[in-house]
Amino acid sequence: MKITPAWRVYLLGATLCVALTICSRHFSDRGGPYFMASLTLAGIVYLLAIREFFATPRLPRRVVVIGLLLAATWNIAFLRVPAGADDDIHRYVWDGRLQRLGYNPYIVVPSDPAAKGLHTPETRNLNNPDLPSPYPAGAELFFRAVTAIHESTFVLKVAFVVCEFAIVFVLLDVLRCTGQAAHLVLAFPWNPLLAVEVAGSGHIDIVGALLLVVSVAALVRRWRATAAVALGLAIAVKFLPVVLLPLYWKRVRLRDTALAAAVVGLLYVPFLSRSFFNRSFLNPGRIPIGSLGTYVQSFRFNGPVFAALAQVAPPQLLAGLAVLVGLATATWLRLRSAAPEWSPDPFAWPVFAWPMAASLLCAPVVFPWYLLWLLPFLTSASTLLIILWSVSIFPTYVMWHLRTLGRSWGALPGWVMLLEYGCVAVAAAIIAFRRFPRSAIKPPSH
């Protein structure tokens, strides 16, 4: 008996659910053999599911509903496990707590003896305790809002999962507006990175991704002011989507841009004004960027292009180059579109992933959760390389396991980056070969 596409999706979803549930049970040994084996299986199943999604014109609505219920199941499994001791989410709790106590997270250093009494058990051992916060104002205010409900990593993780499913509902609306099949929405919540880095570790990137999706969805409906403000808020969560600015050229008005800039500026006002208080901790007049400069100067992880160029150029210049590459990619994509207004063309949605992917490729640090920004836009076969990258990046989790064995944080084993980027390079070569006209390689006739 022939298995229908719907039943193939059910089988793949059930297998993915089992694999990720097993993975969640070994989350405390991230990068360990059982974690990696189950996550690798989940990645392979996800790629097979992507093939099914893109090859099938339409699937019944019940497939989407069941697929989302399965995604909720494995998200709950990861929510039940505590975040890792080194995960950034402990810093989020600290930053939110500091603000509610009247201190500035851009200045207060967690390891400062004067700040000892401000800690809770969840913040006492946060990572990089000798540095103030590097996160933009939008992220800081989100931390404050969530910790006002309850100061815990669990509540933050729940808030991040809510953002993840909010993206699903926005995507469903976009797919309907652009005439695409609703089942393509499953390409987003089924990506194993979401389970590990949103429900598991809990990363603020998913909040920025939600704001960015809202912005692009507003472009689809030609709500230009909403699109501009939402993009500004996304940039205020993390600076990565700034490379998308060329894609908004002539699609939003000048007054919309001014409104967005004003909103982002207002987010920083509490941190600027607070620099005149709490003088025991603060340095009045300092621009509120925290440890961002130290991040660019010193942090390195999984960035092959940056590492290769670091021999001949300073890190600040290379960080600027990474931004420039993203802006150049967005400019090229914008110039390819002759229409000044946004088109509801279903192939236009994925173009928002490429400038960010290009910028990340040249960045000094490429943590797995940085790819969360790209995942909502992977709804077409034109983004197969990025989809593959979101799976081939899994071997980088080995570094977390190596740390438990006493190895200091630093360069990944050579085979990890070879596997991660080699898979993408080979896939790119295969795609290029298949697109090359056969007539171009035929020998001339005599």
Side-chain angles (χ1 to χ4, degrees), residues 153-297:
T153 56
F154 176 75
V155 171
L156 274 165
K157 291 206 300 178
V158 170
F160 294 146
V161 171
V162 169
C163 290
E164 174 187 335
F165 279 89
I167 291 176
V168 169
F169 290 110
V170 178
L171 284 177
L172 283 171
D173 181 67
V174 170
L175 291 172
R176 182 181 62 82
C177 289
T178 57
Q180 293 178 278
H183 70 264
L184 290 175
V185 75
L186 295 178
F188 171 68
W190 278 27
N191 193 299
L193 267 184
L194 283 165
V196 176
E197 299 300 349
V198 177
S201 297
H203 283 284
I204 188 63
D205 302 72
I206 196 65
V207 179
L210 170 59
L211 291 165
L212 180 58
V213 168
V214 169
S215 174
V216 182
L219 280 183
V220 172
R221 293 186 174 275
R222 293 183 173 85
W223 297 345
R224 292 174 288 187
T226 302
V229 171
L231 176 64
L233 292 174
I235 295 171
V237 171
K238 274 195 176 179
F239 297 124
L240 176 61
V242 74
V243 301
L244 299 176
L245 287 175
L247 293 176
Y248 287 75
W249 180 54
K250 290 188 177 181
R251 288 172 174 161
V252 297
R253 298 159 296 193
L254 183 60
R255 65 173 179 266
D256 302 324
T257 305
L259 175 62
V263 169
V264 173
L266 286 173
L267 296 181
Y268 278 93
V269 168
F271 304 101
L272 289 169
S273 61
R274 195 170 296 165
S275 65
F276 295 101
F277 302 95
N278 307 316
R279 293 179 184 271
S280 62
F281 285 105
L282 306 183
N283 181 7
R286 183 181 295 182
I287 299 174
I289 60 172
S291 58
L292 184 61
T294 304
Y295 171 87
V296 173
Q297 183 71 32

Side-chain angles (χ1 to χ4, degrees), residues 348-393:
W349 177 265
V351 303
F352 284 81
W354 285 106
M356 294 188 291
S359 189
L360 284 175
L361 188 62
C362 301
V365 176
V366 188
F367 287 124
W369 55 89
Y370 288 6
L371 271 59
L372 295 177
W373 290 89
L374 313 179
L375 302 188
F377 302 98
L378 309 184
T379 56
S380 116
S382 65
T383 59
L384 280 176
L385 292 180
I386 302 178
I387 292 171
L388 179 59
W389 189 18
S390 73
V391 173
S392 69
I393 202 171

Side-chain angles (χ1 to χ4, degrees), residues 301-304 360-361 366-368 371 385 388-397 412-427:
F301 182 79
N302 192 32
L360 284 175
L361 188 62
V366 188
F367 287 124
L371 271 59
L385 292 180
L388 179 59
W389 189 18
S390 73
V391 173
S392 69
I393 202 171
F394 291 171
T396 60
Y397 287 116
L412 286 162
W415 66 266
V416 172
M417 289 173 54
L418 180 63
L419 181 61
E420 175 188 355
Y421 294 103
C423 286
V424 179
V426 170

Side-chain angles (χ1 to χ4, degrees), residues 433-434 436-444:
F433 178 78
R434 287 184 173 180
F436 196 76
R438 290 184 178 274
S439 59
I441 58 176
K442 287 182 178 180

Side-chain angles (χ1 to χ4, degrees), residues 15-27 34-39 41 74 77-78 81:
T15 306
L16 187 59
C17 189
V18 171
L20 287 176
T21 301
I22 294 172
C23 187
S24 71
R25 294 176 183 236
H26 299 280
F27 188 72
Y34 294 105
F35 176 91
M36 292 304 300
S38 54
L39 186 61
L41 174 60
W74 63 66
F78 274 92
V81 299

